[in-house]
Amino acid sequence: DLIARQERSIRHVEGLITAESAAVQALVTARNEVERLASALAALADRRADADAAVGQEGTELLAAVRAHLSSASELAVSDVEAVIAALELWCTTLEGPNPARAAVDTAGRAATEALARLGADLDRRAADAATRAADLAAEIARLEAGEHGAPPAPHTRDLAVRADRAGAPLWQLVDFVDGMPNAERAGLEAALEASGILDARLDPDGALRDITGDVLLSPSDAARPDIALATVLRPAIDPDDARATAVPEAAVTRALAAIGLGESPGTWVDADGRFRIGVLTGAWTKPTAQYIGRGAREAARRARLAALRSEARLVAAEQAGIAEEGRL
C-alpha cells in the first residue's frame, strides 16, 4: 500500500511538472502574441492618427471650398451660407447622414429651377404681348400711311348691315368748318354733334338725316328754321373720291345744315360750347380737338396718330429687344 501510494504521488508530481512546462510554454507564446498585438495596435494608432489628420485637412479644405463657392454663386444662391457651413463642419467630424451642403444646394437648385420656369413663362407671355402689339401697330401704321382716315367710334347698338345697305354718307364726311373758326369752337361743336348722334348720322341723297337704326333723325322739309343755322359755321365738303359721299348732292347737305340751329333755338340745335338738343334729348360733351369734320382735320389727326403710332412702335421694338436680352441672360 505504501509503495502504491508513493507511486501515485510520483505520477501526480510528474503530471504537475509536465503541466507546468506546458503552462510556461503557453505563457511564452501568449507574451509573444501580446507583444505582436501591442505592436499592431501601435501601428493602427499611428495610422488612425494619420487618417484623422487627413480627414481634418480634407474637411478644412472642403469647408473653404464650399464657403467660397456658395458665397460667389449668383444663379444658385443658398439663403444662409454660414448655417450650411456650420452643419457641414459638424458632418465632417461624424460623417453621419447626408452631406448638408449637398442638401442645401439641391433645395436651392429646385427653387432656382422653379424661378427660371416662372421667368421663362413670363418672358414668353411678355414676348407674345409685345409681338401682338407690334403687329397691331404695324397694321394701323400701314393703313394710315395708305391714307385711310379714322371714323368716330361706333355705338354698341349699331347695326352695320343696316347702315351698309343704305345710300348716302355720314354727315362728318360731307362737311368742313368755315375758314377762320377758332380751334376751341371747332372742338366744342364737333363734340356736341358727336354726342348728339348727328355727326355720325347718315345723310340720304334726298336730304333726310337718319340715325343708326335707320329712323329719320331730321327732315329739312319738316324742321323749324332756326334763327342762326349750323350752315354759318359748316359748309358742304364732299370728297370726290368717295362713292357714297358723291351720291349726296351738295344741296342736300346745305338743307340739312340750314335745318340745325347753332346755339339755343327751336327744334334741333348744337352749340360750340358742346351743348346740344335733339328732340327731347339734351346734353353736353367736350373734346380737346376736332378729329373728324373736314379733310384738313382728318389729315391732321392722321398725321398725329401716325407720329404717335411710330413712337409707340419704337418703344415696343425696344421692349422686344429687352425681352430677348433677358431671355439670353
Side-chain angles (χ1 to χ4, degrees), residues 6-82:
Q6 290 296 327
E7 287 177 349
R8 287 196 296 272
S9 298
I10 290 170
R11 288 195 296 273
H12 176 67
V13 171
E14 288 176 346
L16 290 176
I17 292 171
T18 301
E20 186 272 341
S21 177
V24 169
Q25 184 61 40
L27 176 62
V28 171
T29 302
R31 285 176 176 172
N32 292 337
E33 183 64 18
V34 168
E35 290 178 358
R36 185 187 69 78
L37 291 176
S39 177
L41 181 61
L44 288 174
D46 291 341
R47 292 175 59 190
R48 175 164 184 167
D50 293 342
D52 288 341
V55 168
Q57 180 63 30
E58 293 292 338
T60 301
E61 294 177 2
L62 177 63
L63 289 172
V66 170
R67 184 192 298 276
H69 179 74
L70 294 183
S71 299
S72 63
S74 57
E75 300 300 329
L76 191 66
V78 175
S79 58
D80 192 347
V81 174
E82 292 305 320

Side-chain angles (χ1 to χ4, degrees), residues 258-296:
I260 301 173
L262 179 65
E264 296 187 21
S265 59
T268 297
W269 58 268
V270 294
D271 202 350
D273 61 3
R275 295 179 300 128
F276 66 87
R277 185 180 74 185
I278 180 167
V280 296
L281 176 67
T282 60
W285 190 44
T286 60
K287 58 192 307 185
T289 59
Q291 298 172 273
Y292 308 113
I293 295 178
R295 293 179 60 86

Side-chain angles (χ1 to χ4, degrees), residues 72-300:
S72 63
S74 57
E75 300 300 329
L76 191 66
V78 175
S79 58
D80 192 347
V81 174
E82 292 305 320
V84 174
I85 294 301
L88 181 62
E89 185 175 9
L90 177 62
W91 180 83
C92 287
T93 62
T94 63
L95 298 179
E96 294 180 356
N99 186 327
R102 179 180 295 279
V105 169
D106 289 343
T107 301
R110 287 191 295 270
T113 300
E114 293 173 359
L116 285 175
R118 291 193 297 270
L119 179 60
D122 181 64
L123 285 175
D124 291 342
R125 179 189 57 77
R126 288 167 54 196
D129 291 345
T132 300
R133 294 202 307 275
D136 292 343
L137 289 170
E140 188 172 357
I141 288 172
R143 177 176 61 79
L144 291 177
E145 286 178 340
E148 182 180 342
H149 299 288
H156 295 293
T157 55
R158 167 168 293 175
D159 186 345
L160 295 177
V162 173
R163 294 297 302 270
D165 292 338
R166 292 201 308 269
L171 182 65
W172 66 274
Q173 290 185 338
L174 304 172
V175 297
D176 197 357
F177 295 105
V178 298
D179 295 338
M181 187 174 180
N183 290 334
E185 294 184 8
R186 293 186 181 210
L189 187 62
E190 183 174 291
L193 289 169
E194 187 172 351
S196 65
I198 297 174
L199 183 70
D200 199 37
R202 183 171 294 271
L203 185 63
D204 292 344
D206 61 3
L209 200 62
R210 298 179 181 272
D211 64 13
I212 60 174
T213 65
D215 296 332
V216 175
L217 191 66
L218 178 70
S219 177
S221 60
D222 300 333
R225 309 300 292 185
D227 296 333
I228 303 177
L230 189 60
T232 58
V233 291
L234 292 181
R235 58 179 177 81
I238 298 174
D239 186 353
D241 296 327
D242 190 322
R244 289 188 175 275
T246 54
V248 182
E250 186 173 313
V253 181
T254 301
R255 287 197 301 273
L257 294 177
I260 301 173
L262 179 65
E264 296 187 21
S265 59
T268 297
W269 58 268
V270 294
D271 202 350
D273 61 3
R275 295 179 300 128
F276 66 87
R277 185 180 74 185
I278 180 167
V280 296
L281 176 67
T282 60
W285 190 44
T286 60
K287 58 192 307 185
T289 59
Q291 298 172 273
Y292 308 113
I293 295 178
R295 293 179 60 86
R298 294 196 297 275
E299 181 61 23

